Amino acid sequence: MRALFAILCLLLLGGARDPILVPEVSQHEILVRQGFTGTELLLFGAILTPEGTRAGQDYDIVVVLKGPTNAIVLREKQRIAGIWVNAASVEFRSAPSFFAVASSKPIDRIVDDKTAAIYELGLPWLQLSPIGAFEPEEQRRFAEGLVERRVREGLFKEDPRGVTVSEQVLYQARIALPSSVQTGTYTAETFAISRGRVVASAIARVEVRKVGFERLVARFADDHGFLYGLLAVLVSVGMGVLAGRLFALV
């Protein structure tokens, strides 16, 4: 009886082992050329057992695509004497340039708020890391303002039905990148979730870089910021003078 009980326990433990994810993306490198209008990434993969066979259970899948992070200063406009001026401001240490979440179900039906916050599974749980001490209400107001702004720009997005799972083994999600997407390394992290618990995760990476004339301009701007700004001003002034003379001849 003890031997049978031990064998039964081993079988149950073996059947309860967490799955593994094998992620892939349709493009590991996106080249930004003149006239770039954006692109669509296909993120797909498989849910397998450690032995490499089909996991055979119903898992919820969440895919988080995050762009390079950088510091950003967000200023609040205030109307004084009929004029809009900059008022309070907050600097965020690590705001992602792009953030998209696609899931097989709405996030609140998959995990609780604590788990969503730990893994940043959605725009309300995005960790922006403000610099300095702020009241919680003020920090929340500025964070929501940044999120709303980038949602309008197409840089932050959520799709609660954006992941499809086939035969309990294959999943896929499509995420559109706008033309204004920033260059750098993007991380696509996939989470397999069962009964409110993240049981597996895996990361794939995508490199976005400029090529051709745009790459030369971007490199010159990074290496020689002052000269780039001076040339931009001179070109603007020259175009204005030229336009004025042309209109004077008409």
Side-chain angles (χ1 to χ4, degrees), residues 101-145:
V101 178
S103 53
S104 55
K105 295 178 185 175
I107 297 297
D108 58 4
R109 293 177 53 190
I110 299 176
V111 294
D112 57 22
D113 291 351
K114 181 179 179 181
T115 303
I118 291 174
Y119 296 99
E120 294 185 297
L121 303 181
L123 295 178
W125 315 112
L126 186 59
Q127 305 299 320
L128 294 172
S129 304
I131 298 176
F134 298 93
E135 294 293 331
E137 180 62 26
E138 184 179 17
Q139 179 179 335
R140 182 189 62 80
R141 187 176 76 253
F142 275 95
E144 290 179 351

Side-chain angles (χ1 to χ4, degrees), residues 81-96:
I83 301 175
W84 288 99
V85 298
N86 291 328
S89 64
V90 169
E91 181 177 3
F92 293 105
R93 181 182 295 108
S94 58

Side-chain angles (χ1 to χ4, degrees), residues 220 226-243:
F220 181 78
F226 176 76
L227 290 177
Y228 175 79
L230 183 61
L231 286 174
V233 172
L234 291 176
V235 170
S236 298
V237 172
M239 293 297 292
V241 172
L242 180 61

Side-chain angles (χ1 to χ4, degrees), residues 75-88:
R75 294 182 173 87
E76 188 176 51
K77 295 287 187 178
Q78 185 176 358
R79 191 168 185 175
I80 300 177
I83 301 175
W84 288 99
V85 298
N86 291 328

Side-chain angles (χ1 to χ4, degrees), residues 5-29:
F5 180 75
I7 293 173
L8 179 61
C9 289
L10 288 174
L11 291 174
L12 291 175
L13 289 174
R17 284 184 299 174
D18 293 336
I20 60 174
L21 291 170
V22 184
E24 190 53 88
V25 293
S26 57
Q27 302 177 66
H28 284 281
E29 186 178 54

